[in-house]
Amino acid sequence: MNQPLRDDMDFRAFIGDVKPLTHSNRADAGSHRTRPSEAQLARRESAQEALGERNFLSDDFVDLIAPFDPIEYRREGIQQGVVDKLRHGGYSVQAQLHLLRRPLAECRRMLFPFIQEAYANDLRSVMIVHGRGRELDSPANVLRSYLAKWLSQFEEVQAYVSAQPSEGGLGATWVMLRKSERAKANNRERQQKRRG
């Protein structure tokens, strides 16, 4: 008797009386997920409407930015040195939002809570990755043009600039948020403690 046949006999003796499965060899993961109930759908729709009412970002006409033009904005009173430091990655990325290959309406819905939550959590520098098209009317360039419009509509946004090539180049934007009142109070408190 050869070795493979002996091994096969040993294996059959070891496992005993086993019968093969008669149907699919897939495990039963339970019942398939059913569609959401009408009540769940109504709650979702209500939540989206509430968020939509608060979302002031305009989806009106926008002037398209040329594909190879960087974007830059700063509010009055913000020093150019802050913008330069932001442009050169002088601040650490505290949060990122990726909008690559998403529809414009979804980007609008995602951007609003992202900026609001970043500000509420005392974040100062965030990055938005949006991509860049090579044609004036490519979807990525349209998004980049709307993003420049939307960011300037936020009171929380002090400045924004296109990132350096090593950080995504024209396909990513650095955003500097203003300090929240809580962060300003903490800063004043630290300074008073230093002074004695």
Side-chain angles (χ1 to χ4, degrees):
M1 184 181 311
N2 62 16
Q3 185 64 32
L5 186 59
R6 191 174 311 133
D7 290 343
D8 188 44
M9 289 176 60
D10 289 343
F11 178 74
R12 287 182 190 272
F14 179 72
I15 61 169
D17 189 26
V18 176
K19 295 179 185 174
L21 297 174
T22 57
H23 59 286
S24 162
N25 64 353
R26 293 182 154 193
D28 182 18
S31 63
H32 294 290
R33 187 177 266 196
T34 59
R35 292 182 43 108
S37 69
E38 287 185 31
Q40 289 172 325
L41 290 173
R43 282 195 300 269
R44 287 180 191 169
E45 187 175 321
S46 174
Q48 286 179 344
E49 285 176 11
L51 181 62
E53 289 173 8
R54 289 189 1 240
N55 191 339
F56 52 78
L57 300 178
S58 170
D59 57 358
D60 293 341
F61 176 79
V62 67
D63 291 323
L64 294 179
I65 298 170
F68 298 99
D69 289 351
I71 58 175
E72 180 177 325
Y73 168 81
R74 67 181 170 117
R75 288 208 184 276
E76 190 174 316
I78 302 301
Q79 297 175 355
Q80 185 62 42
V82 172
V83 175
D84 292 341
K85 186 175 179 182
L86 184 64
R87 178 183 300 110
H88 297 294
Y91 299 100
S92 61
V93 177
Q94 296 176 312
Q96 280 190 355
L97 176 64
H98 290 268
L99 300 176
L100 289 170
R101 297 180 188 86
R102 295 187 187 272
L104 192 62
E106 185 179 348
C107 293
R108 180 178 173 267
R109 280 194 311 271
M110 292 174 70
L111 179 65
F112 186 79
F114 175 75
I115 296 293
Q116 299 290 318
E117 289 174 19
Y119 177 72
N121 290 307
D122 296 329
L123 303 182
R124 296 295 311 283
S125 59
V126 298
M127 181 176 274
I128 301 172
V129 180
H130 45 77
R132 175 187 59 87
R134 297 196 182 280
E135 303 296 325
L136 185 63
D137 60 348
S138 70
N141 199 53
V142 170
L143 172 58
R144 193 167 75 97
S145 301
Y146 269 102
L147 188 66
K149 178 181 180 179
W150 291 337
L151 288 172
S152 61
Q153 292 175 346
F154 283 99
E155 289 182 17
E156 295 86 356
V157 173
Q158 287 186 323
Y160 61 82
V161 294
S162 293
Q164 291 294 310
S166 62
E167 299 163 332
L170 297 176
T173 301
W174 278 100
V175 181
M176 174 62 71
L177 302 176
R178 68 181 168 93
K179 283 186 181 178
S180 67
E181 293 303 318
R182 180 178 56 226
K184 287 179 184 177
N186 288 342
N187 198 22
R188 281 192 296 271
E189 188 177 310
R190 277 196 312 269
Q191 288 178 2
Q192 286 177 352
K193 285 181 180 178
R194 266 192 247 151
R195 292 180 186 156

